[in-house]
Amino acid sequence: MRTFIAGLLGGLTLFVWGMLAHTVLPLGEAGMRQSKSEDAVIAVLQENMPATGVYMVPGLSAEQMADDAAVKAYQEKAPTVPNAMIFYQESGRDGTQMGRNLLAEYLCNTLAALLVAIILVLAPLSKARRILLSGGLGVFAWLSVSAPYWNWYRFPQEFSLANLAMLVLGWLLSGAVMAWWLARTGK
């Protein structure tokens, strides 16, 4: 039960940190931009994207990878034109209606914090080392997901570094709360 409560407290801390990082600090929007002519971009997307999915522009499909001429044409084109990774959804949604997203975020934060709380309980460490371990898990998360996206999909450096800061600071704060609770309750 103590581990469960530590996870709940850690999840809440992580959720509040994420809210602050997005609403008070500039971390949540680092590297994000708006297009100059949104309606024109939407029209082009609707005309050229056949279904919901992730699109790479310029792109090279698995089938094209087997075609030497297609690969050569891509290699000549890609360095000379803009590159984009587009997360496309055919049907829209109102981004100001965040209730469902906030609930999902809280649940994800809490489940992740529950896993970290279990690790912290299993690690016979001091409170300070538990906090550092939690922060290290934030670095692990970044290296496992965000750094490969920066490397392979060319996510902007500003976006990737802000994500690193959000993860490490979030897990240090969450780890501090969980380490405090576990030390307070004798774990």
Side-chain angles (χ1 to χ4, degrees), residues 21-22 25 39 41 43 58 65 76 86 88 91-92 97 126 138 146 159 164 170 187:
H22 282 83
L25 301 174
D39 291 336
V41 172
M65 289 291 285
E76 290 173 4
I86 302 165
Y88 181 72
S91 59
Q97 303 298 313
S126 67
S146 298
F159 178 88
L164 173 63
K187 285 276 182 185

Side-chain angles (χ1 to χ4, degrees), residues 115-139:
L115 291 173
V116 172
I118 291 168
I119 292 169
L120 295 180
V121 166
L122 294 174
L125 300 172
S126 67
K127 188 164 84 171
R129 288 185 177 188
R130 283 180 168 168
I131 294 168
L132 290 175
L133 175 58
S134 185
L137 290 171
V139 173

Side-chain angles (χ1 to χ4, degrees), residues 63-99:
E63 296 82 25
Q64 290 173 314
M65 289 291 285
D67 178 353
D68 289 340
V71 170
K72 185 170 176 26
Y74 171 83
Q75 289 173 333
E76 290 173 4
K77 179 182 183 179
T80 64
V81 298
N83 287 232
M85 182 175 197
I86 302 165
F87 302 94
Y88 181 72
Q89 295 176 347
E90 292 173 82
S91 59
R93 69 176 176 89
D94 181 351
T96 64
Q97 303 298 313
M98 293 183 268

Side-chain angles (χ1 to χ4, degrees), residues 46 56 90 101:
Q46 288 174 325
M56 299 290 291
E90 292 173 82
N101 298 89

Side-chain angles (χ1 to χ4, degrees), residues 138-168:
V139 173
F140 172 81
W142 185 81
L143 288 170
S144 299
V145 178
S146 298
Y149 286 175
W150 164 77
N151 177 44
W152 289 105
Y153 302 123
R154 301 175 62 193
F155 277 32
Q157 183 173 339
E158 180 184 9
F159 178 88
S160 299
L161 292 176
N163 191 257
L164 173 63
M166 286 192 300
L167 284 167
V168 173

